[in-house]
């Protein structure tokens, strides 16, 4: 995560055991979604005058690129589901929900990424910067796309020159659209493209 994990306790004393459990579950969230930017977990006991048993509340705030996901609840029908719901039961319930939420967000992202540009697109090399391992290409629509050396297929970044025709696959990266695969248009395809123009 870019921002260190934040854990807060309200209306109860901080607990090293609870904090350890929270850190373990947040580590699982990071494995599930490595682009997790920040996470804040609040463990809260009810106010003493409003106590209905010992039902704790857990709030998990997860920052992901471009969005915030929040789990805020006491366990769903806790007293019906658990004989004596303790803080660990509530933590488990909240983190299970957080995992489902992140999986849903991850699925939504991957469907958005793969839908628009599954087929290879056509463009031209604008410039390459081999010392810094990246280049830019111009799309048929005239926009500029960044690509990394590792995106180049079947040859080296240095073999490209400005104006070379290329095919590419566009994806949405952490900083916006980029080319995930770039390869040279074969001379056979280039002649076909010129014939159609």
């Amino acid at each position: 995560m870019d921002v260190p994990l934040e854990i807060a306790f309200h209306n109860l004393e901080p607990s090293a055991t609870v904090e350890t459990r929270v850190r373990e579950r947040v580590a699982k969230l990071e494995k599930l979604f490595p682009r997790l930017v920040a996470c804040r977990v609040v463990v809260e006991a009810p106010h003493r005058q409003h106590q209905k048993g010992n039902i704790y509340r857990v709030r998990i705030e997860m920052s992901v690129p471009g969005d915030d996901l929040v789990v805020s609840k006491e366990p769903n029908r806790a007293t019906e589901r658990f004989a004596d719901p303790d803080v660990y039961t509530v933590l488990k319930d909240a983190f299970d929900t957080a995992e489902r939420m992140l999986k849903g967000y991850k699925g939504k992202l991957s469907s958005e990424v793969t839908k628009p540009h599954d087929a290879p697109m056509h463009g031209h090399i604008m410039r390459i910067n081999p010392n810094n391992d990246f280049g830019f290409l111009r799309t048929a629509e005239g926009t500029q796309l960044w690509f990394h050396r590792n995106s180049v297929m079947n040859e080296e970044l240095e073999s490209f020159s400005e104006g070379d025709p290329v095919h590419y696959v566009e994806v949405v990266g952490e900083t916006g659209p980029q080319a995930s695969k770039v390869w040279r248009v074969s001379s056979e395809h280039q002649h076909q493209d010129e014939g159609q123009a």
Side-chain angles (χ1 to χ4, degrees), residues 10-11 44-55 57:
H10 291 173
N11 301 327
E44 180 181 10
H47 294 289
R48 299 194 195 291
Q49 67 268 27
H50 298 125
Q51 231 167 356
K52 329 174 263 188
N54 258 347
I55 299 175
R57 289 189 192 94

Side-chain angles (χ1 to χ4, degrees), residues 1 5 20-34 36 39 62 92 95-96 98-99 102-103 106:
M1 282 188 299
L5 170 64
T20 300
R21 186 74 55 91
V22 167
R23 289 186 185 284
E24 289 168 358
R25 292 301 302 260
V26 170
K28 276 183 72 176
L29 294 178
E30 281 189 282
K31 279 186 182 167
L32 175 68
F33 191 79
L36 190 62
C39 186
M62 300 173 287
K92 180 186 181 317
F95 273 102
D96 288 350
E99 283 183 21
L102 265 184
K103 283 178 186 171
K106 189 176 177 181

Side-chain angles (χ1 to χ4, degrees), residues 35-178:
R35 293 169 53 199
L36 190 62
V37 176
C39 186
R40 181 173 192 264
V41 179
V42 179
V43 181
E44 180 181 10
H47 294 289
R48 299 194 195 291
Q49 67 268 27
H50 298 125
Q51 231 167 356
K52 329 174 263 188
N54 258 347
I55 299 175
Y56 296 90
R57 289 189 192 94
V58 174
R59 180 177 173 88
I60 304 169
E61 301 167 8
M62 300 173 287
S63 293
V64 293
D67 209 350
D68 288 322
L69 308 175
V70 178
V71 175
S72 178
K73 63 180 198 167
E74 52 189 60
N76 190 15
R77 297 185 311 279
T79 49
E80 294 170 27
R81 291 172 54 210
F82 310 108
D84 186 17
D86 63 5
V87 69
Y88 301 104
T89 306
V90 179
L91 271 175
K92 180 186 181 317
D93 206 35
F95 273 102
D96 288 350
T97 302
E99 283 183 21
R100 285 191 300 275
M101 198 177 273
L102 265 184
K103 283 178 186 171
Y105 179 77
K106 189 176 177 181
K108 180 182 157 202
L109 268 188
S110 57
S111 69
E112 285 174 3
V113 165
T114 54
K115 276 181 193 169
H117 300 294
D118 284 346
M121 309 293 282
H122 183 76
H124 290 85
I125 296 295
M126 283 181 60
R127 69 178 185 272
I128 59 165
N129 190 334
N131 295 333
N132 293 319
D133 296 330
F134 68 86
F136 289 93
L137 62 86
R138 182 172 303 283
T139 68
E141 293 83 30
T143 58
Q144 179 175 291
L145 281 185
W146 178 91
F147 65 94
H148 189 268
R149 170 185 298 281
N150 296 342
S151 303
V152 177
M153 312 290 289
N154 306 320
E155 56 188 299
E156 295 298 317
L157 178 66
E158 292 81 2
S159 68
F160 285 112
S161 300
E162 186 179 320
D164 283 350
V166 292
H167 287 301
Y168 65 93
V169 175
E170 183 179 335
V171 297
V172 179
E174 289 182 24
T175 56
Q178 65 186 47

